[in-house]
């Protein structure tokens, strides 16, 4: 039976999906190969500390991305922290606020001040003009974030970093297997950092990596990842435990074998969302630049100002949740509106970040989401968006159940 707006709003949801449909459901490679690798690990009793699967994984990632060095880590946050420390960042570092909190925390955790800079609404990433304005004598580096796989204006940031003698790294947690001007993400700046967390389209359960072409930096990163050990009983740096374990590397190697399939599903779902929601007044699915290699891992719905004046993004989010469509507000409300930054910077104004953070919803995709699921989600979204006035009336307690 065709759903009506009343079904969605008045009756507290009609559970369009029996099971929750998540944004962030992990992709999993071929089970038999995965289990075979797990068995090899158990049989060999080599579980971690630079084991054979980690070494193979690092080589495969470096080859795929086209860099000299891949240093696999236990997660993306620790990878960021180690990259920041290995590059000697201190004082102030310029970052976007429109990112996952880990980007800011990786700095603050080690006593470095994240200086939040607004984004360019055209790229959703750091605005180079505003970056330049945020530089002070205390600035030592810039961290760009390729948010949702949309790449930063890398050339402009690299030019600023070179001219102002600043380090430059990219938080590429969302941009594994993406390209910028035809070159794979991973080889830009002093280093780039990936996250291979379970929710990423390519995962190692938990995991991450720093990739770089800088030999000296790579050596330092490897030492810092392993407590600073330079020999069995010799420690030369302050280090931590950032190592990836063998089970994660086995997961990664197996996922790599299915990478093309994951990408194809993401691409298919993206095109299905775009097609189903084309020409709809009030919302749009953000477009990827398909002249580049994209991973399509985030399907980002932007609701426009005219629509959200009637029904807010959060109201849409709640209606979808009641239907078991677990969309996410990545990255609301922005790091500058979370602690400890909110209290430290009560006056900070980042209008573009605030504007975007209020309007977006990341929709479910990945191999757990079928084309028919996408179709159903889009039908509901169309119903909500095209009946904004009726939704408002019902939310305000208009005509109740009949
Ligand atoms: N930089 C950026 C720009 C990042 O986005 C991230 C991480 C990092 C750095 C740091 O990298 P890691 O240290 O995490 O490697 C999730 C992820 O935990 C996080 O990795 C990711 N970004 C962030 C964008 O999303 P939450 O708090 O939203 O996760 P959670 O537990 O709510 O999971 C999201 C959805 O996924 C859930 O609705 C359910 C589903 N899910 C999740 C897991 C873990 C599953 O279906 N199965 C699962 O196993 O942070």
């Amino acid at each position: 039976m065709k759903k009506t707006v009343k079904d969605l709003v008045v009756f507290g949801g009609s559970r369009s999906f029996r099971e929750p449909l998540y944004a962030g459901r992990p992709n999993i490679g071929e089970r038999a190969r995965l289990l075979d690798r797990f068995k090899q690990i158990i049989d060999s009793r080599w579980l971690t500390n630079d084991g054979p699967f980690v070494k193979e994984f690092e080589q495969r990632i470096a080859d795929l991305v086209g860099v000299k060095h891949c240093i696999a880590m236990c997660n993306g946050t620790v990878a960021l922290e180690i990259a920041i420390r290995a590059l000697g960042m201190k004082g102030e570092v310029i970052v976007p606020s429109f990112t996952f909190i880990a980007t800011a925390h990786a700095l603050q955790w080690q006593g470095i001040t994240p200086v939040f800079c607004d984004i360019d609404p055209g790229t959703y990433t750091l605005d180079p003009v505003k970056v330049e304005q945020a530089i002070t004598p205390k600035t030592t580096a810039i961290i760009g974030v390729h948010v949702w796989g949309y790449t930063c204006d890398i050339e402009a940031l690299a030019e600023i970093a070179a001219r102002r003698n600043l380090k430059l790294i990219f938080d590429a947690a969302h941009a594994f297997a993406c390209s910028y001007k035809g070159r794979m993400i991973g080889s830009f700046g002093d280093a780039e950092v990936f996250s291979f967390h379970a929710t990423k389209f390519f995962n190692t359960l938990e995991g991450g990596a720093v990739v770089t072409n800088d030999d000296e930096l790579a050596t330092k990163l490897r030492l810092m990842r392993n407590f600073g050990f330079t020999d069995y009983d010799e420690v030369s740096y302050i280090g931590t435990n950032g190592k990836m374990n063998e089970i994660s590397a086995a997961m990664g190697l197996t996922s790599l074998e299915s990478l093309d399939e994951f990408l194809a599903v993401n691409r298919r779902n993206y095109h299905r969302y775009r097609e189903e929601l084309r020409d709809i007044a009030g919302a749009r699915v953000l477009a990827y630049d398909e002249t580049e290699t994209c991973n399509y891992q985030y399907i980002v719905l932007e609701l426009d100002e005219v629509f959200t004046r009637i029904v807010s993004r959060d109201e849409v989010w709640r209606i979808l949740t009641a239907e078991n469509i677990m969309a996410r507000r990545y990255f609301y409300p922005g790091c500058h509106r979370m602690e400890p930054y909110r209290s430290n910077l009560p006056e900070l104004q980042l209008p573009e970040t605030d504007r975007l953070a209020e309007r977006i919803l990341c929709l479910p995709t990945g191999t757990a989401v079928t084309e028919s699921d996408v179709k159903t989600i889009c039908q509901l979204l169309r119903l909500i968006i095209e009946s904004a006035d009726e939704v408002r009336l019902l939310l305000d307690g208009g005509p109740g159940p009949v």
Side-chain angles (χ1 to χ4, degrees):
M1 206 177 66
K2 206 162 177 282
K3 280 187 205 311
T4 64
V5 173
K6 216 172 201 175
D7 293 327
L8 302 186
V9 182
V10 178
F11 301 119
S14 60
R15 289 278 178 270
S16 294
F17 293 94
R18 222 163 346 130
E19 296 294 326
L21 205 60
Y22 292 107
R25 201 86 175 139
N27 292 329
I28 295 173
E30 206 200 298
R31 192 173 289 244
R33 302 184 85 139
L34 184 61
L35 294 177
D36 180 55
R37 285 193 167 105
F38 287 172
K39 186 171 173 300
Q40 288 180 51
I41 293 168
I42 293 159
D43 290 346
S44 72
R45 292 180 191 250
W46 197 282
L47 306 185
T48 185
N49 289 14
D50 226 5
F53 280 139
V54 166
K55 286 197 175 112
E56 187 185 344
F57 177 70
E58 290 183 333
Q59 191 57 55
R60 294 284 312 275
I61 297 289
D63 291 347
L64 195 147
V65 167
V67 287
K68 279 163 85 178
H69 308 282
C70 167
I71 300 96
M73 305 269 184
C74 55
N75 61 56
T77 306
V78 168
L80 270 172
E81 286 168 6
I82 294 179
I84 287 164
R85 191 177 274 268
L87 281 161
M89 295 184 197
K90 52 187 180 352
E92 295 177 357
V93 172
I94 298 170
V95 287
S97 170
F98 194 78
T99 178
F100 189 58
I101 197 69
T103 320
H105 278 356
L107 292 162
Q108 189 78 33
W109 188 255
Q110 29 198 349
I112 302 167
T113 305
V115 173
F116 296 113
C117 180
D118 214 351
I119 50 171
D120 174 341
T123 64
Y124 321 113
T125 62
L126 277 179
D127 180 338
V129 173
K130 292 179 182 144
V131 167
E132 184 101 43
Q133 290 163 357
I135 296 173
T136 75
K138 289 190 193 153
T139 309
T140 58
I142 303 166
I143 302 182
V145 181
H146 306 305
V147 76
W148 303 318
Y150 292 86
T151 52
C152 295
D153 185 345
I154 295 177
E155 277 174 4
L157 295 177
E159 189 278 321
I160 295 170
R163 183 163 41 77
R164 306 294 292 255
N165 195 24
L166 303 173
K167 300 288 183 197
L168 174 66
I169 67 170
F170 294 99
D171 177 339
H174 303 175
F176 179 65
C178 296
S179 71
Y180 171 82
K181 301 205 170 169
R183 204 169 111 194
M184 293 308 279
I185 287 298
S187 58
F188 296 98
D190 292 293
E192 299 204 61
V193 177
F194 293 125
S195 163
F196 303 134
H197 182 261
T199 54
K200 300 292 180 288
F201 91 99
F202 166 79
N203 83 84
T204 61
L205 310 174
E206 289 272 1
V210 185
V211 284
T212 181
N213 282 316
D214 181 331
D215 299 340
E216 208 178 310
L217 177 64
T219 306
K220 210 166 173 183
L221 290 163
R222 283 190 188 284
L223 295 173
M224 285 186 159
R225 171 183 73 170
N226 187 29
F227 312 102
F229 273 112
T230 39
D231 207 339
Y232 274 133
D233 306 306
E234 178 64 27
V235 168
S236 309
Y237 287 108
I238 181 163
T240 185
N241 184 353
K243 289 169 278 134
M244 176 178 274
N245 68 66
E246 287 290 279
I247 292 283
S248 285
M251 181 76 174
L253 286 167
T254 311
S255 297
L256 274 178
E257 287 158 2
S258 297
L259 197 70
D260 289 344
E261 182 205 328
F262 299 161
L263 288 168
V265 169
N266 280 359
R267 191 185 308 116
R268 179 204 70 194
N269 284 352
Y270 162 75
H271 283 295
R272 174 54 74 187
Y273 272 113
R274 292 268 298 169
E275 177 64 20
E276 295 288 332
L277 294 174
R278 72 181 191 288
D279 309 328
I280 181 170
R284 65 181 179 130
V285 175
L286 298 191
Y288 286 104
D289 174 0
E290 297 196 77
T291 63
E292 298 287 352
T293 308
C294 311
N295 63 27
Y296 307 91
Q297 84 172 307
Y298 291 93
I299 304 291
V300 187
L301 181 78
E302 186 181 14
L303 300 167
D304 77 15
E305 246 147 337
V306 177
F307 173 79
T308 52
R309 253 185 257 132
I310 309 169
V311 182
S312 73
R313 181 275 316 273
D314 288 356
E315 285 166 329
V316 175
W317 181 55
R318 277 193 285 275
I319 295 170
L320 291 179
T321 304
E323 296 304 310
N324 258 341
I325 300 164
M326 314 310 273
R328 293 300 294 260
R329 298 175 294 176
Y330 294 135
F331 289 99
Y332 171 81
C335 298
H336 70 300
R337 297 194 181 277
M338 297 195 195
E339 293 299 350
Y341 316 108
R342 174 170 58 198
S343 297
N344 293 346
L345 305 160
E347 306 296 323
L348 183 63
Q349 296 294 318
L350 299 174
E352 295 299 344
T353 298
D354 289 341
R355 202 190 66 80
L356 193 62
E358 287 289 342
R359 297 206 190 304
I360 39 85
L361 274 177
C362 291
L363 302 172
T365 188
T367 53
V369 179
T370 65
E371 264 190 291
S372 134
D373 293 337
V374 173
K375 217 171 161 181
T376 307
I377 295 170
C378 291
Q379 277 165 358
L380 291 173
L381 279 167
R382 257 192 189 277
L383 186 58
I384 298 164
I385 294 164
E386 288 176 345
S387 330
D389 291 329
E390 198 184 341
V391 172
R392 178 73 273 143
L393 200 68
L394 291 166
L395 285 169
D396 289 342
V402 281

